[in-house]
Amino acid sequence: MKNMDRILKMILVTIFILFLFTVLMLFIEANSAAISGSLSLWIILALLLGTAIFSFALFTMKLKINELDRIFQAEKEIEKNENTADVIEKEIEKEIDIEPLLPSESTKIDQYTDEVLQKMAETFNIVQGIFYTKQSKKDNFECAATYAYFSDQKPEPFKSGETLPGQSVKNKTLVVLNNVPDNYMTIVSGLGKSAPKQLVFVPIKQQDEVVGVIEYATFETITERQQKALEAISKKIADAIVKLLKK
């Protein structure tokens, strides 16, 4: 496109030079009486008109070329954005390897759930976590293990539909809470106390029954890859949780 623009400019300059040269020659010939003055004037006007028409045609062509150039640049930008979106989508589609996050076999529910939280902590940026399991006799959920939980009181049990984790149990879906209620959870660290950015509730389901729920807090924003990995982990550990609860 830039080369075409240069060529058009060169053509216009060349035509203008030829026009001046022609006018000069006509005046010389007119003065030598080879051509009458009136005829020279008509020839000059004809050349001038022809030059104007040709220049207008070139100008119109330049406008069209500029328009095509804008369309071409817009298409390149769209293609670039599509390629960027494809890269992002492929990155999202990459699954987190959950096998290293799965705990080893255990004979006690508290050991198993504690190992789940420990292994998940780094991958999911957990700053505080609680693993609740369902107590079949009472039909409620009680704390089986905690991670970085600093409190003299053990987390309170709840039933389906009660409290925030109870809502996740009732809906049987992973819940991400951005607006953390005031004083709901305080994270204690070497830098002092602060509230988490997000709360994540992961129901542990065997078929359609929720047998446990993981509640954890994070200072980061959970990604789509992490959500997919959490759902995969919940399916993997559900059977083990059921077996341990029956013992």
Side-chain angles (χ1 to χ4, degrees):
M1 294 298 178
K2 291 182 178 179
N3 291 335
M4 183 62 70
D5 191 46
R6 292 196 192 99
I7 292 172
L8 287 174
K9 288 180 181 178
M10 291 176 63
I11 291 174
L12 287 173
V13 171
T14 303
I15 291 173
F16 183 71
I17 292 172
L18 289 174
F19 172 73
L20 291 178
F21 179 76
T22 304
V23 171
L24 180 62
M25 292 301 295
L26 286 172
F27 270 113
I28 292 173
E29 291 181 6
N31 290 332
S32 63
I35 302 176
S36 66
S38 60
L39 182 59
S40 298
L41 181 61
W42 281 109
I43 293 174
I44 291 171
L45 290 174
L47 287 172
L48 185 61
L49 180 61
T51 303
I53 294 172
F54 189 69
S55 299
F56 178 76
L58 289 175
F59 178 74
T60 304
M61 185 183 297
K62 186 176 184 300
L63 290 178
K64 290 183 178 180
I65 290 174
N66 289 339
E67 185 178 355
L68 290 173
D69 183 51
R70 287 194 295 270
I71 294 173
F72 177 73
Q73 293 298 331
E75 289 177 348
K76 285 182 64 177
E77 189 66 24
I78 291 172
E79 183 179 356
K80 180 181 177 182
N81 292 337
E82 287 178 348
N83 291 336
T84 303
D86 289 341
V87 171
I88 294 173
E89 186 176 351
K90 288 179 181 178
E91 286 296 321
I92 292 175
E93 288 176 353
K94 289 182 181 178
E95 294 184 357
I96 295 174
D97 185 9
I98 66 171
E99 292 302 323
L101 304 179
L102 300 176
S104 55
E105 292 185 7
S106 178
T107 56
K108 294 183 178 180
I109 188 69
D110 56 344
Q111 292 179 350
Y112 187 84
T113 51
D114 180 71
E115 191 173 349
V116 170
L117 293 176
Q118 294 290 337
K119 286 181 174 290
M120 288 174 53
E122 182 176 355
T123 301
F124 300 99
N125 304 309
I126 296 176
V127 292
Q128 189 174 111
I130 306 171
F131 200 132
Y132 297 95
T133 55
K134 184 178 181 180
Q135 308 300 309
S136 56
K137 294 181 179 179
K138 301 177 183 179
D139 195 27
N140 61 359
F141 291 78
E142 295 183 358
C143 173
T146 61
Y147 174 83
Y149 185 82
F150 301 100
S151 177
D152 296 333
Q153 297 181 347
K154 192 175 182 180
E156 293 290 331
F158 61 88
K159 293 185 178 182
S160 176
E162 297 178 350
T163 71
L164 292 175
Q167 288 296 320
S168 177
V169 172
K170 181 181 179 180
N171 297 330
K172 301 180 181 180
T173 57
L174 186 146
V175 176
V176 179
L177 187 64
N178 293 309
N179 299 319
V180 181
D182 293 337
N183 301 321
Y184 178 82
M185 182 182 291
T186 302
I187 309 301
V188 180
S189 67
L191 300 176
K193 298 180 179 181
S194 57
K197 183 175 183 179
Q198 284 187 336
L199 290 176
V200 182
F201 302 93
V202 188
I204 310 301
K205 295 187 298 183
Q206 187 190 53
Q207 296 179 350
D208 199 42
E209 181 185 5
V210 179
V211 296
V213 60
I214 298 172
E215 172 187 355
Y216 77 81
T218 177
F219 291 136
E220 307 292 333
T221 299
I222 187 172
T223 65
E224 289 187 34
R225 284 195 298 164
Q226 288 176 328
Q227 290 190 40
K228 290 180 180 179
L230 286 169
E231 290 170 352
I233 289 173
S234 68
K235 294 177 183 177
K236 289 281 187 179
I237 65 177
D239 292 339
I241 295 294
V242 171
K243 291 179 181 177
L244 290 171
L245 288 175
K246 289 180 179 180
K247 291 184 178 181

